[in-house]
Amino acid sequence: METTFQGKVWTFGDDVDTDAIIPARYLVTSDETELGSHCMEDALPSFATKVARGDIIVAGENFGCGSSREHAPLAIKGAGVACVVAASFARIFFRNAINVGLPIVECPQAARETEQGQTLEVDVGSGVIRNIHSGATYETAPFPPFLRRLIEQGGLVPYVQQRLKERDPS
Amino acid sequence: MPYTMARALIAGHTSESAVEGEICQVAVDFAFANDITAPPAMRAFETMGATEVFDRERCAILPDHFTPNKDIAAAEQAKTARAFANAQGMRYWEVGRVGIEHAFLPEQGLILPGEIVVGADSHTCTGGALGAFSTGMGSTDLAAAWALGETWMRVPPTLKVTYTGELPGWITGKDLILTLIGRIGVQGARYMALEFHGESLRDLPMDDRFTMSNMAIEAGAKTGLFPPDDRILDYARERAQRAFEPVFPDSDAPYADEVTIDVSDMEPVVALPHLPSNTRPVSRCSDIEVDQVFIGSCTNGRLRDLELAAGILKGRQVAPGIRCIVIPASYEIYQAALERGYIETFTKAGAAVCTPTCGPCLGGHMGILARGERCLSTSNRNFVGRMGHPESEVYLAGPLVAAATALTGRITDPGRYTRAATEGGRL
């Protein structure tokens, strides 16, 4: 799995909610590409048309608050965003992002100091973020061991696959 | 070491020590999805190589968000969910018998004290009102719970919330929870559990408690727990479809933080756009005109909510030019409201009464807002574009404020309609 991303930054503030990430009016599908074409529509209407593959979202506290809709991290992936750096994530969004394979990094200082249009290099594996523009580097706290294992296995789906096989080896 | 209620609930469902902060594998008592979240869960379930849900009596799909289906895409989505539920033989109820999941499942006795319940909907925390660790997750997490009968959970720290003082008759559960969210903010309880305590809650009806637990997520919490008292246990015993064992917090449990709220002089509360934490007393909102009033949702579409709203609307008329939409949260509630005459009260007052569904709460259908419109809603979220056009506005309040606002067309203190009638007692 690719763990290092370099891309142009799109900044957002605190409490970006799941309705802003993907409004409910588009939840008659769970197709990633279709959802991606409406990503962030109510926060920044031009986002989905201007974002380039590999770009990075940087946001403040509580990113992804609100609904449990897994369509939110799917929409971000569908829009081509490589990873999300935030000061903090809402709990359900955090789980969903890991489950659908959207790389996320929690780093308050990087979130605070990064500006719109700058380029970030994010190594999700080591948790090191480098701002290419300013040269600043940031280290994030590692995920707890269970989550690291889950991510290394490729996410929750392969994890459950393995657990089911162990239960019924036939 | 004494246990908080959250820790005690998790400890009862895991073989691990369940110390705070630890990630545990926990057994799940019930796991459900809705018409929006079920299709991705079904896909993940199949990709996992799962063939059967862990227990068909403990797994469910409820069609409630875009149902009765609003368009072809919604109908296709609901059809897929229905087919999966039927093939698995899991619990499923068709439109006409179901309701909004968070109102319907407790009514059916399928969320019970002492249980761990997961739902692919953020307002699953509503079940905390029954003393269950009931929490929202995404579709893939839910698929894992269907496949394994287990989920992973980090044992959360707990914020203890104590309400003190005598509850004024016109203050509802909605005012109590909005006050808390206004105090601590939309991330004030992120990654935490809430535990509700206090003398003010002693006689609080179940429906108001469901409203409070429902909005725990709006403060970022995993769940909003009520330690089971006689009212909770009586409600559960009357309806339970499974044996259950209530769990209580220890009296000397270690809380990460505590908040105390004195209710004695509380006014009804309104949350202004665009966050549930942006609260004001209703008296400071009286010049705000609205186009629409919505009374319903998993927050305030229960029988007591309709009773309070009907009490204000009875014999009166919705203001000219104002759209008032009432949606009972389930068919049981709809039926009871019919028998008690509330539905007639609403229709005579000029309100539109719709079939149970989530409706306009999430910008679904049956009351979407146009550009620049304002709605006073009894639902739980007022994010940008939540009920329709991104330039519309949603104001949140309880059923009394909503009904009073429907009569005047501007946000209105229900006191002018209620205080004389109650003489200080409960409504």
Side-chain angles (χ1 to χ4, degrees):
Chain A
M1 196 175 105
E2 194 187 351
T3 57
T4 307
F5 307 96
Q6 187 171 319
K8 195 183 79 158
V9 163
W10 294 80
T11 54
F12 293 89
D14 292 340
D15 305 316
V16 173
D17 61 75
T18 48
D19 283 83
I21 298 170
I22 183 71
R25 57 186 177 274
Y26 302 119
L27 299 186
V28 289
T29 178
S30 42
D31 178 76
E32 192 172 303
T33 312
E34 210 173 317
L35 293 169
S37 68
H38 299 290
C39 185
M40 294 292 182
E41 196 168 286
D42 287 356
L44 183 62
S46 62
F47 179 79
T49 52
K50 292 192 175 159
V51 68
R53 188 149 291 277
D55 283 0
I56 291 171
I57 286 178
V58 175
E61 301 281 355
N62 206 25
F63 185 84
C65 62
S67 164
S68 74
R69 63 188 72 156
E70 209 164 278
H71 311 66
L74 284 178
I76 293 172
K77 275 180 76 183
V81 171
C83 76
V84 182
V85 177
S88 63
F89 291 94
R91 184 184 60 83
I92 303 175
F93 182 90
F94 180 89
R95 292 181 74 120
N96 285 347
I98 288 171
N99 289 344
V100 305
L102 172 69
I104 51 170
V105 178
E106 205 165 81
C107 185
Q109 201 188 349
R112 214 168 29 242
E113 294 177 4
T114 305
E115 290 169 25
Q116 174 73 28
Q118 292 182 335
T119 300
L120 277 192
E121 188 182 86
V122 183
D123 183 342
V124 182
S126 65
V128 174
I129 302 171
R130 198 158 63 90
N131 187 322
I132 304 294
H133 177 84
S134 68
T137 60
Y138 311 93
E139 278 190 40
T140 63
F143 286 138
F146 173 78
L147 285 184
R148 283 211 301 273
R149 281 202 303 279
L150 199 66
I151 293 164
E152 279 160 16
Q153 281 188 34
L156 190 63
V157 170
Y159 168 82
V160 176
Q161 264 169 352
Q162 188 58 38
R163 289 281 310 276
L164 288 172
K165 271 187 205 144
E166 285 161 14
R167 282 187 184 184
D168 182 11
S170 63
Chain B
M1 176 88 172
Y3 282 17
T4 60
M5 195 160 158
R7 184 179 176 192
L9 283 160
I10 292 175
H13 287 75
T14 184
S15 57
E16 294 159 77
S17 56
V19 294
E20 219 170 89
E22 183 184 15
I23 292 180
C24 300
Q25 299 298 321
V26 298
V28 164
D29 293 299
F30 197 74
F32 63 94
N34 60 48
D35 51 316
I36 293 178
T37 57
M42 290 149 40
R43 270 209 310 270
F45 185 82
E46 278 155 19
T47 314
M48 286 164 181
T51 51
E52 278 183 85
V53 295
F54 77 99
D55 182 339
R56 60 182 58 173
E57 299 297 316
R58 292 171 183 267
C59 296
I61 293 178
L62 299 95
D64 59 359
H65 275 61
F66 292 154
T67 56
N69 302 139
K70 67 162 182 154
D71 57 22
I72 293 169
E76 295 288 347
Q77 202 166 241
K79 183 180 171 186
T80 316
R82 181 184 300 118
F84 179 83
N86 289 340
Q88 286 290 330
M90 64 206 286
R91 289 183 186 267
Y92 177 84
W93 304 263
E94 199 46 86
V95 166
R97 298 198 158 77
V98 65
I100 305 175
E101 52 203 289
H102 313 300
F104 180 78
L105 292 172
E107 263 175 12
Q108 294 298 310
L110 289 169
I111 296 179
L112 294 163
E115 293 193 332
I116 301 254
V117 173
V118 294
D121 189 286
S122 63
H123 291 108
T124 304
C125 49
T126 311
L130 284 162
F133 196 106
S134 189
T135 191
M137 294 181 170
S139 294
T140 303
D141 271 320
L142 203 273
W146 276 346
L148 299 174
E150 274 181 21
T151 189
W152 66 267
M153 230 176 235
R154 183 152 53 179
V155 183
T158 295
L159 174 65
K160 181 181 183 184
V161 185
T162 306
Y163 291 92
T164 62
E166 192 176 340
L167 201 64
W170 51 88
I171 295 300
T172 67
K174 186 61 157 291
D175 303 303
L176 299 178
I177 191 67
L178 281 177
T179 300
L180 174 69
I181 299 166
R183 181 86 64 89
I184 67 174
V186 292
Q187 42 175 309
R190 198 162 38 85
Y191 296 126
M192 301 172 89
L194 298 176
E195 220 181 87
F196 296 116
H197 290 264
E199 68 207 22
S200 327
L201 308 181
R202 200 182 50 230
D203 298 323
L204 195 69
M206 280 309 296
D207 285 357
D208 289 61
R209 301 180 189 204
F210 284 122
T211 302
M212 293 177 68
S213 292
N214 176 275
M215 291 190 71
I217 180 71
E218 310 312 335
K222 271 185 167 173
T223 189
L225 298 167
F226 277 81
D229 60 7
D230 287 345
R231 193 177 287 259
I232 290 171
L233 294 173
D234 288 348
Y235 180 98
R237 283 191 201 108
E238 271 170 32
R239 294 159 185 267
Q241 294 202 31
R242 297 185 289 270
F244 65 91
E245 190 63 46
V247 164
F248 304 89
D250 290 322
S251 57
D252 53 349
Y255 294 102
D257 209 348
E258 298 199 27
V259 174
T260 302
I261 294 172
D262 183 358
V263 305
S264 321
D265 298 321
M266 194 180 276
E267 265 189 60
V269 180
V270 178
L272 278 60
H274 291 287
L275 284 177
S277 55
N278 192 14
T279 54
R280 305 270 188 287
V282 68
S283 58
R284 287 178 50 202
C285 305
S286 56
D287 55 348
I288 300 170
E289 294 182 353
V290 302
D291 304 283
Q292 178 171 303
V293 169
F294 169 46
I295 301 171
S297 86
C298 59
T299 313
N300 280 121
R302 295 188 177 75
L303 191 60
R304 176 169 160 79
D305 302 312
L306 302 188
E307 178 188 3
L308 294 178
I312 288 185
L313 290 172
K314 192 168 177 64
R316 299 190 173 102
Q317 287 293 305
V318 169
I322 303 302
R323 312 183 295 269
C324 180
I325 297 164
V326 181
I327 306 186
S330 75
Y331 285 92
E332 182 181 315
I333 295 164
Y334 197 170
Q335 188 63 41
L338 263 174
E339 286 163 10
R340 294 183 181 199
Y342 305 155
I343 302 293
E344 190 181 3
T345 296
F346 295 137
T347 53
K348 279 190 171 165
V353 182
C354 303
T355 185
T357 177
C358 299
C361 166
L362 77 159
H365 58 159
M366 294 186 176
I368 305 302
L369 301 177
R371 182 197 299 265
E373 287 192 325
R374 282 190 191 138
C375 179
L376 186 289
S377 172
T378 66
S379 59
N380 38 41
R381 290 195 175 129
N382 54 353
F383 300 153
V384 171
R386 174 71 181 177
M387 288 178 67
H389 197 283
E391 288 171 41
S392 61
E393 290 183 345
V394 181
Y395 295 71
L396 305 175
L400 290 169
V401 174
T405 300
L407 293 175
T408 62
R410 56 181 58 228
I411 294 177
T412 297
D413 184 345
R416 62 196 266 194
Y417 299 106
T418 60
R419 265 166 221 168
T422 62
E423 294 174 343
R426 286 205 64 79
L427 283 171

